[in-house]
Amino acid sequence: MTIVYGILLVLHLLGWAIVLGGTLVSMKSPRIAPGVLHGILTALVTGIAMVGMHDSVYPSDPKLVMAKFGIKLVIAIVVTALVIVGTREPAKVTTRFLGAIAGLVVVNVCLAVLWS
């Protein structure tokens, strides 16, 4: 199970990296890059799977804070919604729209790293 958890963690981080990278690259000509939707869906699904597996992989870890995961999930859902809206309605995508996506990704990463 530890190997599966590690693979999910790598995929989760790659998903967030795709979202952030694709968003920052598209800032000059505002649009949702093709891989961003796949990146956020990968990050969302693997994040949920990792929370579900956490107790079986780390049974004695007292650092599992469900509030942290709840806040991170809400942010991930908001980013997913923004990416879906931007993909379906490209006219709504502006530099501020992309900035909101990038900012929420950075907040989510900061919560993961700094909240222990």
Side-chain angles (χ1 to χ4, degrees):
M1 283 306 248
T2 306
I3 293 172
V4 174
Y5 188 85
I7 291 169
L8 287 175
L9 178 60
V10 169
L11 290 173
H12 183 70
L13 295 173
L14 288 174
W16 283 115
I18 290 168
V19 175
L20 185 60
T23 302
L24 293 177
V25 164
S26 301
M27 290 292 253
K28 278 191 175 181
S29 59
R31 65 183 178 85
I32 300 292
V36 172
L37 179 62
H38 299 292
I40 190 58
L41 292 176
T42 299
L44 183 65
V45 170
T46 56
I48 292 170
M50 287 189 319
V51 170
M53 290 179 62
H54 191 276
D55 285 340
S56 63
V57 176
Y58 302 107
S60 62
D61 186 9
K63 292 185 176 183
L64 182 64
V65 180
M66 293 311 282
K68 172 184 174 179
F69 294 125
I71 293 169
K72 286 178 55 56
L73 178 62
V74 168
I75 292 171
I77 290 171
V78 170
V79 171
T80 304
L82 287 172
V83 170
I84 290 172
V85 167
T87 302
R88 289 187 178 170
E89 301 176 32
K92 289 187 176 182
V93 179
T94 63
T95 304
R96 288 183 182 188
F97 190 89
L98 294 174
I101 293 172
L104 287 170
V105 169
V106 170
V107 167
N108 213 7
V109 170
C110 288
L111 285 175
V113 173
L114 301 175
W115 188 345
S116 55

